[in-house]
Amino acid sequence: ELKVEQNPLFLSMQEGKNYTIYCNYSTTSDRLYWYRQDPGKSLESLFVLLSNGAVKQEGRLMASLDTKARLSTLHITAAVHDLSATYFCAVAHGGNTGKLIFGQGTTLQVKP
Amino acid sequence: NAGVTQTPKFQVLKTGQSMTLQCAQDMNHNSMYWYRQDPGMGLRLIYYSASEGTTDKGEVPNGYNVSRLNKREFSLRLESAAPSQTSVYFCASSELRTGTGNTIYFGEGSWLTVV
C-alpha cells in the first residue's frame, strides 16, 4: 500500500528565510506532484516531477525528486507573505491512470 | 476557459437524503476523478474514470456511485447521505500521456454538510 508522508505539517517562518518541505513515499512511482491550496480554494498545480533527479523551479519555489530514496523536496527561497498556503505532495500509483495518493499537507505561514 | 466546473458549491443534506454532484470539464480530457478532502488531511480518491464509458473505484468508494455521462461530464451520487460524508469534494481531470507533464486540474470544490 502506497503511503505518502510530509513533514513538517506546520511551518511558521519569517519573510526572507529559506526552508524545505519533505515528502516521503513508500513504494515506487513514476510521477510526483506538488500542489498549493489557499484556504477555501481549489488546488493549484505547482510542479510535476517525472524522473529521478528531476528539478523544477518557479519563482521562489524549487522542487526535486530522488526516486531511489523515494523523497521529494519543495524548497522555499527568501519566503514572502504571499507564499502562505498549504502545500501538498501527491504520488501517482496504479500505472498511468492519474490516481494520486496525497500527503497530509504542510501549512506554511510566512510572517512579515 | 472555465477548466473544471462543479455544482453545487455548497449543500446541506439531512441524513438519508440523496444528491448528485455534477462536474464538467472543457479541456477535452479523457480522465476524470472525484476526491474528498476532510479537515487537516490530503485528498482521497473516491472514483475515477479513465475514459468515457469506464469507471473504477478509488481509495474510499463506499457510499458513492458515479456516472461518466460523456467525455465532458462525471457525476458523483450519494444515495443515502451519512454524517461521515460531510466533506469537501473535488472533481479533477487530466489528459495522461506517457512521459509528459500530465497535469491534473482540479475544480473549485463542493462543500457538503450532512446533518
Side-chain angles (χ1 to χ4, degrees):
Chain A
E1 179 187 355
L2 174 59
K3 292 186 178 180
V4 181
E5 292 187 350
Q6 289 180 234
N7 71 84
L9 300 184
F10 183 79
L11 179 56
S12 181
M13 55 194 297
Q14 297 292 127
E15 280 193 329
K17 299 292 187 182
N18 303 331
Y19 211 81
T20 300
I21 299 170
Y22 297 89
C23 174
N24 290 90
Y25 55 100
S26 59
T27 63
T28 57
S29 173
D30 63 355
R31 219 168 310 127
L32 188 139
Y33 297 76
W34 283 98
Y35 286 92
R36 167 183 172 146
Q37 186 179 39
D38 293 300
K41 301 295 185 181
S42 184
L43 280 77
E44 174 191 355
S45 178
L46 296 174
F47 302 106
V48 183
L49 303 171
L50 297 180
S51 61
N52 190 43
V55 177
K56 290 192 174 181
Q57 183 164 5
E58 182 72 35
R60 301 176 187 274
L61 301 178
M62 183 174 71
S64 65
L65 178 62
D66 181 342
T67 57
K68 293 180 181 179
R70 296 176 189 162
L71 171 68
S72 179
T73 61
L74 181 66
H75 187 71
I76 302 153
T77 301
V80 293
H81 180 68
D82 284 353
L83 289 179
S84 298
T86 298
Y87 294 85
F88 291 97
C89 67
V91 178
H93 75 111
N96 193 25
T97 61
K99 295 189 292 183
L100 300 179
I101 299 293
F102 279 79
Q104 312 96 305
T106 297
T107 299
L108 174 65
Q109 183 182 76
V110 182
K111 297 179 179 179
Chain B
N1 188 345
V4 180
T5 304
Q6 297 179 227
T7 56
K9 192 169 178 70
F10 299 98
Q11 184 73 46
V12 178
L13 285 178
K14 293 183 179 178
T15 297
Q17 287 185 320
S18 62
M19 77 158 297
T20 300
L21 299 176
Q22 307 285 354
C23 175
Q25 51 92 8
D26 62 3
M27 296 174 281
N28 202 35
H29 288 164
N30 282 320
S31 300
M32 297 185 73
Y33 314 85
W34 276 106
Y35 286 86
R36 63 178 285 174
Q37 184 178 29
D38 298 308
M41 296 180 64
L43 281 67
R44 291 182 293 168
L45 181 65
I46 305 171
Y47 270 93
Y48 76 101
S49 171
S51 60
E52 185 179 352
T54 68
T55 62
D56 210 344
K57 295 178 180 179
E59 291 179 83
V60 288
N62 292 343
Y64 305 95
N65 287 302
V66 290
S67 295
R68 183 74 183 267
L69 304 171
N70 47 55
K71 191 172 186 179
R72 289 187 64 249
E73 298 173 290
F74 189 38
S75 63
L76 178 72
R77 182 162 178 83
L78 287 69
E79 292 290 353
S80 179
S84 61
Q85 294 179 304
T86 294
S87 190
V88 184
Y89 292 84
F90 288 96
C91 179
S93 74
S94 179
E95 185 62 42
L96 299 173
R97 294 183 294 273
T98 302
T100 64
N102 298 304
T103 300
I104 299 174
Y105 298 89
F106 285 82
E108 294 291 312
S110 296
W111 274 253
L112 176 65
T113 301
V114 182
V115 297

